[in-house]
Amino acid sequence: MHDGDASEREKAQQAEQYQVKIQNNSFCLLLSGLADIYEQYGVLVSEVQKVNLLPFQRFDKFTGHMEKMKKMVKCLSDHNNCGKDKCFWPHYHKNKPGILNGQFVGTQIIEDHEVQHVHNTRRARQQEADNATTSPVMAAERKLADLTTQLVKGFREYVYSEDALEMVESTRFLTDLTSLAMQIREKGHILLGVLNADKFVRIAKKISRNVRVVNNQEIVRQYKIFVRRLASKTEAIAIPELQKMDSKNLIKKFLTSGGELYVGCEMVVEAIVVAAIKMTVESIAESDILRYNTHNSKLRSMSEEAVLIASYLQPCQSISGMETGIL
């Protein structure tokens, strides 16, 4: 009985320590911000792993999400910088006033920072000194900004190398038929066929093996035929509608036309189709994503401390609808 009482007291002391780890402004601000970061990160990860996109379309979406994450850093400390249409930190900016007033998802906040229960270490003393001079908002926003910047830097450097970027632009020239159709409207198919032919030959031979064995003059001839037929196929489409067309659909028109579109320009269509599937980044993105995941298995079980912290966090998971593994 005595041992049981001692054990209960020890558990109560541990529970109090874990409670202080969580029920403080710094932790709650970080949790809210992480929900926003992971929400944007999740969208980015989903986009780069889609297989029904042309290489340049995937890269453009990737770049767009990178720019959004950069924007997140700039407007983190001030919601007014987000703009009228969208808040880049919906959870953080919404929860921040309540947290600073001592409430977070129905829970009372009892400290500004996590209390150091062990005071006689250099790290603990340094942390206490930092806490005394740094507001929880400044501390949280510095960490959130650093994490967002790290994710942007890591993804940009790891997923698209310099060689990959060069290949993306090469495939863009071959497969972006929507832009090509718009250029035809502006310059005419005859002039555009002459202006683009040499570049098309150079890129097509770099991308497609079958095209390499064909002499340049023949590819130029076929390219001019292709441009003329693309002009004919899109001339009745209004410009606003043409601008919104997906290049994949224009490629499909040449493949499913029954022959009247691709006969006579087979090598051009061959190069375009090869370019459309030339490169993917799903496996590269997946390996980079794994660097940020926490893996658990029966051989690597969670510690009692992690389980207790997770039990405290459970009411907060509804904030983002996803687990915040980085915590």
Side-chain angles (χ1 to χ4, degrees):
M1 187 69 178
H2 178 74
D3 291 339
D5 291 341
S7 175
E8 292 299 322
R9 285 196 296 271
E10 182 180 356
K11 288 182 179 180
Q13 291 174 352
Q14 290 179 348
E16 183 180 358
Q17 292 179 12
Y18 299 142
Q19 185 179 28
V20 174
K21 285 178 179 288
I22 295 170
Q23 288 182 274
N24 60 78
N25 285 334
S26 293
F27 182 89
C28 295
L29 289 167
L30 279 173
L31 184 61
S32 296
L34 284 171
D36 292 318
I37 293 173
Y38 277 170
E39 191 170 284
Q40 182 61 44
Y41 182 71
V43 174
L44 185 153
V45 167
S46 176
E47 291 288 359
V48 298
Q49 294 187 95
K50 286 183 178 179
V51 296
N52 62 337
L53 294 173
L54 296 171
F56 79 88
Q57 292 174 330
R58 185 182 298 107
F59 175 72
D60 289 348
K61 287 180 178 292
F62 170 84
T63 302
H65 289 299
M66 289 287 97
E67 292 304 315
K68 287 181 182 178
M69 294 188 77
K70 288 182 181 179
K71 177 69 174 177
M72 289 177 72
V73 176
K74 295 180 180 179
C75 63
L76 172 58
S77 59
D78 188 354
H79 170 62
N80 292 325
N81 292 334
C82 290
K84 297 180 180 179
D85 298 331
K86 178 182 179 181
C87 178
F88 287 90
W89 297 89
H91 302 301
Y92 180 78
H93 287 160
K94 178 182 177 181
N95 293 331
K96 181 178 176 181
I99 292 172
L100 297 181
N101 285 327
Q103 291 289 326
F104 179 60
V105 291
T107 302
Q108 184 177 0
I109 297 173
I110 56 180
E111 297 286 349
D112 276 348
H113 299 278
E114 177 186 338
V115 175
Q116 301 296 314
H117 291 278
V118 179
H119 302 278
N120 59 350
T121 66
R122 182 182 302 175
R123 181 177 179 181
R125 289 194 296 271
Q126 181 61 50
Q127 186 62 57
E128 288 181 338
D130 291 343
N131 290 346
T133 58
T134 306
S135 73
V137 172
M138 290 179 60
E141 291 183 354
R142 182 179 65 246
K143 292 178 180 179
L144 292 172
D146 287 347
L147 174 60
T148 306
T149 302
Q150 174 190 334
L151 289 173
V152 171
K153 183 176 183 294
F155 237 73
R156 184 173 291 280
E157 292 179 353
Y158 196 79
V159 177
Y160 282 99
S161 64
E162 291 298 323
D163 290 341
L165 290 176
E166 182 180 350
M167 181 58 69
V168 166
E169 294 310 315
S170 294
T171 62
R172 185 194 300 273
F173 182 79
L174 268 60
T175 61
D176 190 0
L177 299 192
T178 300
S179 295
L180 181 60
M182 291 300 299
Q183 292 173 29
I184 291 172
R185 289 289 182 90
E186 180 183 350
K187 299 177 181 179
H189 69 85
I190 296 176
L191 177 59
L192 200 65
V194 173
L195 293 175
N196 285 0
D198 289 341
K199 184 176 180 180
F200 183 90
V201 170
R202 185 176 69 255
I203 294 176
K205 288 199 168 188
K206 179 173 69 174
I207 287 179
S208 174
R209 292 181 181 179
N210 292 335
V211 176
R212 291 172 196 165
V213 300
V214 181
N215 66 69
N216 292 359
Q217 291 77 11
E218 175 61 19
I219 300 174
V220 168
R221 186 188 70 82
Q222 291 194 21
Y223 182 72
K224 292 177 180 179
I225 294 173
F226 174 83
V227 172
R228 184 177 72 246
R229 290 177 180 173
L230 179 62
S232 175
K233 196 67 178 177
T234 58
E235 63 183 356
I237 303 174
I239 289 180
E241 183 181 350
L242 181 59
Q243 289 174 325
K244 296 178 182 178
M245 286 194 70
D246 190 332
S247 292
K248 294 194 300 294
N249 293 332
L250 290 174
I251 295 172
K252 290 177 183 177
K253 287 182 182 295
F254 276 83
L255 297 176
T256 59
S257 62
E260 69 271 13
L261 289 180
Y262 65 77
V263 170
C265 56
E266 293 90 345
M267 288 296 98
V268 174
V269 176
E270 153 88 11
I272 291 172
V273 171
V274 171
I277 58 173
K278 183 64 177 179
M279 63 174 296
T280 61
V281 294
E282 292 86 40
S283 60
I284 300 174
E286 182 69 24
S287 63
D288 190 53
I289 293 162
L290 292 176
R291 297 193 298 134
Y292 298 101
N293 287 346
T294 300
H295 301 283
N296 292 293
S297 70
K298 62 182 180 181
L299 300 177
R300 185 170 52 205
S301 58
M302 294 179 70
S303 65
E304 183 177 354
E305 178 180 356
V307 172
L308 286 170
I309 290 178
S311 68
Y312 277 111
L313 284 177
Q314 189 172 5
C316 303
Q317 288 182 351
S318 61
I319 297 172
S320 64
M322 63 184 76
E323 295 182 2
T324 51
I326 202 166
L327 292 173

